[in-house]
Amino acid sequence: PQWIWAAPGAEKKARPGSVTFQRIITLPEAPATAWLTMAADDFKTLVINGAKVGPPGRRNSTAVEGIDATTHFHAGDNTVEVTVVNLPPGTTDTAVPETLTPAYDTPAGLLLYARIRGADGGVMDVVSDPSWAVIANDQPGKAAVALGDVNLAPWKIGPYFIDVAAAPETTLPVQRASLVAA
């Protein structure tokens, strides 16, 4: 997977605002398991086929979350949308102030890996990359921009992200209380 955003250089600075990424995943059958691993800077909301999936986003760019989405996928086309809100420093809710100055530019990005397995043994892996469409107010349908791999600064979450993405659901790495957002 690659960190993606609507514009290049977002790992250094991106304007506060909301960006929605969309991808259609076509499955030959309903999956036996579908496990998504995600990280986003700042808030994220995952929607599969019109239904919100997983816990609500939180302001923590280093939080890697594993989400069991098995029941949300079906045979045929599945629409996956992830909305990420990039907030100015010190903002605690998802509302972006109407007037901002360039001083509020902060890093922004989305990292996603989906491990989908069929009952017949079929395997599908989906990653965040330029194949995702950006659905933003001023640029609908534009392709996402790849910012870099899982070890991209400022986040540098590669080893932990890979541990969560590769772990069986029953043996996910334990989050220590000191590493979990309060």
Side-chain angles (χ1 to χ4, degrees):
Q2 299 172 317
W3 283 96
I4 58 174
W5 196 248
E11 74 279 9
K12 293 185 177 86
K13 67 179 188 172
R15 296 289 301 171
S18 175
V19 176
T20 299
F21 300 93
Q22 183 183 73
R23 173 117 183 235
I24 306 296
I25 300 172
T26 304
L27 300 174
E29 64 177 332
T33 64
W35 184 257
L36 278 70
T37 305
M38 298 176 51
D41 189 348
D42 291 304
F43 281 98
K44 61 122 180 88
T45 303
L46 171 64
V47 175
I48 300 175
N49 295 321
K52 286 186 180 180
V53 179
R58 58 184 176 205
R59 187 186 177 108
N60 186 344
S61 61
T62 59
V64 177
E65 296 182 87
I67 301 166
D68 182 358
T70 305
T71 60
H72 297 281
F73 285 98
H74 54 75
D77 289 345
N78 294 272
T79 302
V80 178
E81 293 182 348
V82 182
T83 300
V84 181
V85 180
N86 185 34
L87 298 170
T91 306
T92 58
D93 64 23
T94 59
V96 177
E98 290 294 322
T99 55
L100 297 168
T101 65
Y104 285 126
D105 288 347
T106 60
L110 168 68
L111 186 65
L112 179 142
Y113 168 73
R115 180 178 68 212
I116 303 170
R117 304 296 181 255
D120 67 352
V123 172
M124 177 178 279
D125 291 333
V126 177
V127 296
S128 50
D129 63 17
S131 68
W132 288 70
V134 174
I135 312 299
N137 295 336
D138 59 343
Q139 45 194 328
K142 176 184 166 186
V145 174
L147 304 174
D149 68 12
V150 294
N151 289 313
L152 181 67
W155 306 292
K156 299 180 185 179
I157 61 171
Y160 186 71
F161 187 88
I162 299 301
D163 284 349
V164 173
E169 292 85 352
T170 56
T171 61
L172 285 172
V174 174
Q175 289 187 343
R176 295 189 178 178
S178 64
L179 302 176
V180 176

